[in-house]
Amino acid sequence: MAYATIDPYTEQTIKTFPDATEAEVDAALKTAHATFLEWKEKPIAERVAVLAKAAEILENNRSDYASTLTLEMGKITAEAEAEVDLCVAMLRYYVEHGEELLSPRLLPAKGYGDTDVQLVNDPMGVIFAVEPWNFPYYQVVRITAPQATAGNVVVLKHASNVPQSAARMEQLFLEAGAPKGLLTNLYLPHDLTEHVIASPVVRGVALTGSEKAGGHVASLAAKHLKKSTLELGGADAFIVLDDADVEKAADWAVFGRNWNAGQVCVSSKRLIIDESVYDRFLARYREGTAKLVAGDPTDPKTTLAPLSSAGAVETLKRQVASAVEQGAKVEYLADVPEQGAFFRPAIVTDITEDNDAFHTEFFGPVAQVYRAKDEDDAIRIANDSPFGLGGSVFSSDIHRAQQVARRLDTGMVAINHPTVVAADIPFGGVKNSGYGHELLDLGLKEFVNQKVVAVADIDGPF
């Protein structure tokens, strides 16, 4: 069975779940569409009332919800609770701003008398969401909160290793007062993916995942003329300029590369350091990473989680070995337990541009470190990547850092911080990192019909 809870720390299989049958999928889509027809007619205030209640439930049961994240993908308790908090903030953002963001836009147009042209935001229907395991709640709420606000409904295919997290999200919205079908969790086998996308009631597809999965799903969406949004991999550049606070930058790099065991699309994967501060930075980074404590993710002393699975460990081992075979050097900086899906935190240096690693995403606690000659060289290295999701620039001169940020070919850039993940900041990338946005008004309007309503109340055509 594809869907199973396997504790990454004990590596024990806790529970398995059967795949949905085609008949079950069709029934779920029928229910979702019927729910949409009713949900879209509800005032926005009634829609967001469900989000408000969901936020309250999450907040009041923070530790309980967090424990499922720890069980299924090994997230340490503090990071699991932080994910729950972020979900609460996202839900409340749309409670507070949803109605305003969906209000019609008036477009004064010549030739239409004294009337205004309205641009209204009509919901489209059932949105098919394919989500990953690294943030099992956040990813679901990030798509469901704006789409439910807009009047759409969501059918979810979550990652196969977080089935209980997926079920809890569906149950959360039901408990919050949502009608059955607002968020539907399906343990969907891969061979029924096209069946869902091809359904006439499905009007859009949102995927967060790998390049391979994104390319496959996007091609199916295009084949069936459905709009899609993709948030794929990232190999974010973490640029430290010559005037940066080196110690601060190195400390943030330890966090930016190793939080969630390095399994974050927008974690700081490529550390690009001006040569004038390279040695100081690397010494501080080594020192900080060596202090990470790997162990039981429920233990408050643990600061480094296991990877999501034994398979993830093997993939990372192969990537590092390949980089070394092609001339790179690897240095391991901390010990990890023998039990569990752990990978020793490491740095990889001397990566030449013809090394496959130069253009590869390492999804785990392995930092690629590059020595840049100057600011221009740092930007060159950063942009020489197939990915363009996030990135960072560290400098004591904010204006200079902002100018560098504008030259980076990426969707998001943080100044003097590893990342820009927040409930009130849009999320999206370019190049092989995908297209489209989530959160704020950008995410809210990805799957609405921005319909023109124009009153041509004039005497005649002549």
Side-chain angles (χ1 to χ4, degrees):
M1 296 181 184
Y3 289 85
T5 298
I6 303 174
D7 186 330
Y9 180 60
T10 65
E11 300 186 273
Q12 298 297 308
T13 299
I14 307 300
K15 191 175 183 180
T16 60
F17 299 80
D19 288 346
T21 65
E22 185 172 329
E24 290 170 336
V25 171
D26 288 340
L29 290 173
K30 182 179 180 180
T31 298
H33 180 61
T35 298
F36 164 69
L37 295 177
E38 295 183 3
W39 184 253
K40 72 172 184 173
E41 301 299 333
K42 292 186 179 294
I44 296 172
E46 289 189 27
R47 298 178 202 159
V48 299
V50 171
L51 305 189
K53 182 61 177 178
E56 180 184 337
I57 293 169
L58 281 176
E59 190 171 58
N60 291 340
N61 299 276
R62 181 174 182 254
S63 296
D64 178 49
Y65 275 90
S67 66
T68 304
L69 302 178
T70 300
L71 172 67
E72 292 205 300
M73 57 80 53
K75 197 183 294 277
I76 64 174
T77 297
E79 292 175 345
E81 290 178 345
E83 181 175 341
V84 175
D85 293 342
L86 185 54
C87 291
V88 170
M90 285 189 293
L91 290 162
R92 287 179 174 158
Y93 176 86
Y94 287 103
V95 172
E96 183 176 351
H97 299 288
E99 191 155 9
E100 172 194 353
L101 295 175
L102 288 169
S103 62
R105 178 182 172 190
L106 299 180
L107 306 173
K110 294 181 180 179
Y112 283 82
D114 295 327
T115 64
D116 286 313
V117 176
Q118 282 191 326
L119 192 64
V120 300
N121 300 294
D122 287 351
M124 294 173 63
V126 178
I127 308 303
F128 179 44
V130 182
E131 300 299 336
W133 47 262
N134 56 337
F135 289 90
Y137 296 158
Y138 164 75
Q139 298 288 169
V140 177
V141 172
R142 196 171 76 179
I143 187 68
T144 304
Q147 295 316 314
T149 302
N152 293 318
V153 302
V154 176
V155 169
L156 170 68
K157 180 192 184 304
H158 217 325
S160 61
N161 59 332
V162 290
Q164 295 191 56
S165 297
R168 295 206 72 175
M169 286 292 96
E170 180 181 41
Q171 186 59 37
L172 168 68
F173 282 91
L174 290 172
E175 188 178 341
K180 180 177 173 60
L182 179 70
L183 172 61
T184 303
N185 170 51
L186 285 177
Y187 296 131
L188 190 75
H190 291 304
D191 59 6
L192 287 179
T193 298
E194 183 170 7
H195 182 76
V196 173
I197 294 173
S199 170
V201 305
V202 171
R203 297 291 300 276
V205 182
L207 177 142
T208 297
S210 67
E211 287 179 89
K212 181 179 179 181
H216 177 64
V217 169
S219 67
L220 293 177
K223 174 182 175 181
H224 295 285
L225 301 179
K226 309 293 174 75
K227 180 179 179 180
S228 62
T229 60
L230 302 177
E231 190 266 282
L232 308 179
D236 288 6
F238 184 101
I239 296 175
V240 180
L241 300 176
D242 56 3
D243 65 343
D245 180 333
V246 175
E247 285 69 30
K248 174 183 175 181
D251 291 346
W252 271 124
V254 173
F255 169 81
R257 176 66 285 226
N258 296 291
W259 68 298
N260 210 46
Q263 302 168 117
V264 186
C265 296
V266 290
S267 68
S268 308
K269 299 186 177 79
R270 295 182 298 145
L271 312 181
I272 304 170
I273 317 302
D274 188 285
E275 64 181 3
S276 66
V277 297
Y278 180 90
D279 291 337
R280 284 173 55 207
F281 174 91
L282 198 54
R284 179 82 171 201
Y285 183 83
R286 284 192 183 102
E287 179 184 351
T289 304
K291 294 178 181 177
L292 293 173
V293 178
D296 183 345
T298 65
D299 187 338
K301 296 178 183 178
T302 299
T303 55
L304 181 68
L307 298 192
S308 63
S309 66
V313 174
E314 292 306 311
T315 296
L316 200 53
K317 283 182 179 178
R318 287 195 300 269
Q319 288 179 317
V320 172
S322 176
V324 172
E325 287 172 5
Q326 296 175 62
K329 296 178 182 178
V330 62
E331 178 183 351
Y332 294 98
L333 303 176
D335 293 326
V336 297
E338 292 186 8
Q339 171 186 306
F342 287 97
F343 194 93
R344 294 182 66 190
I347 55 174
V348 180
T349 55
D350 294 350
I351 304 170
T352 56
E353 295 180 18
D354 60 350
N355 191 319
D356 291 339
F358 192 88
H359 294 115
T360 298
E361 177 186 24
F362 286 14
F363 215 59
V366 178
Q368 299 180 33
V369 186
Y370 298 90
R371 185 192 299 265
K373 297 176 183 177
D374 51 28
E375 176 183 304
D376 287 340
D377 193 39
I379 294 169
R380 178 192 65 79
I381 296 169
N383 286 338
D384 188 3
S385 171
F387 301 103
L389 193 55
S392 309
V393 180
F394 279 75
S395 170
S396 60
D397 183 340
I398 300 300
H399 181 65
R400 178 190 181 192
Q402 290 172 324
Q403 289 180 318
V404 171
R406 292 298 301 272
R407 296 173 64 190
L408 298 180
D409 191 9
T410 189
M412 305 169 283
V413 183
I415 306 300
N416 293 334
H417 195 276
T419 186
V420 291
V421 175
D424 50 2
I425 297 177
F427 195 101
V430 296
K431 300 192 288 187
N432 289 17
S433 291
Y435 50 78
H437 287 85
E438 292 181 309
L439 299 178
L440 263 71
D441 58 323
L442 299 180
L444 189 64
K445 295 176 181 177
E446 285 287 4
F447 295 106
V448 298
N449 172 21
Q450 296 191 53
K451 182 193 295 179
V452 173
V453 179
V455 180
D457 190 11
I458 52 181
D459 291 340
F462 306 109

